[in-house]
Amino acid sequence: MNMSKLDIDQLVSYINDDLKKDKNISVNKLCDKLGIKKSTLKSKMSKHNFSYDINLRQYIKNNNNTCSTTTVNEPNVDFKPIETTEISCNTTNSTTRSTTINTDNIDMEKLSILIDNFDLIMQKLAIKNNNITCSTTNTKVTSLRINEEIYHLVKERASKEKSSISDIVNRALLDYLNNYIN
C-alpha cells in the first residue's frame, strides 16, 4: 500500500487500526514495517493537526477550540503516576549523596522512542575492550600519503604540544585500533 497516496483521514485510520491490532508494535516499528520514516509521518500528522496520544496509542485530532473526551472500549489499565524519586549512592569515602530527580516534565513519546530503540542505542554506545598497548619502543621508518590540510593541522598541534608528528600518528592509530575495530 502506498502511504503517500492516502489522504490524511485514511492514513490516520490505517495507522490507528494497525496500532489497535498489534498491541506490541510501536509507531517506530510500524513505520519501518510500512516503509515510511517516523519523521515524515510525524510532520504530516502535525501539519494536519493530529498528535499521538501515548495512553490511547492512537493519533487524535487536536481541537484547539473545544474539549473532547474519547471513550475507548478497552479494559481499564491503571497507570501508576511517575513520582519524584530520591536516589542514594554510596561513594568511596563512605558518605551518602542524595539526588532528587524531578520527573514531572517527562516527554512520554520521547521516552517510548528511547525504550523501543534501547538495544540499538546500546549497540551504538558499546565500549570496545580492545585495549591494545605497545610494549616496545622500536620504530619503523615508512612513508604515508596524508592529506595536506590534515598534515598541516597535525604539524601545528605537534608544535603546540611540543611533541612529534609521529607521536600523534601513533596515538591516532592506537585510538583507531582500540575504538573502531570489531
Side-chain angles (χ1 to χ4, degrees), residues 40-57:
T40 305
L41 176 67
K42 191 173 180 178
S43 65
K44 188 170 186 173
M45 293 296 193
S46 65
K47 178 180 169 186
H48 293 287
N49 211 19
F50 282 90
S51 64
Y52 183 71
D53 185 319
I54 195 160
N55 295 323
L56 298 175
R57 287 183 30 88

Side-chain angles (χ1 to χ4, degrees), residues 132-147:
I132 298 171
T133 58
C134 291
S135 58
T136 178
T137 57
N138 296 342
T139 60
K140 176 176 173 80
V141 176
T142 187
S143 61
L144 300 171
R145 294 188 190 275
I146 301 174
N147 178 287

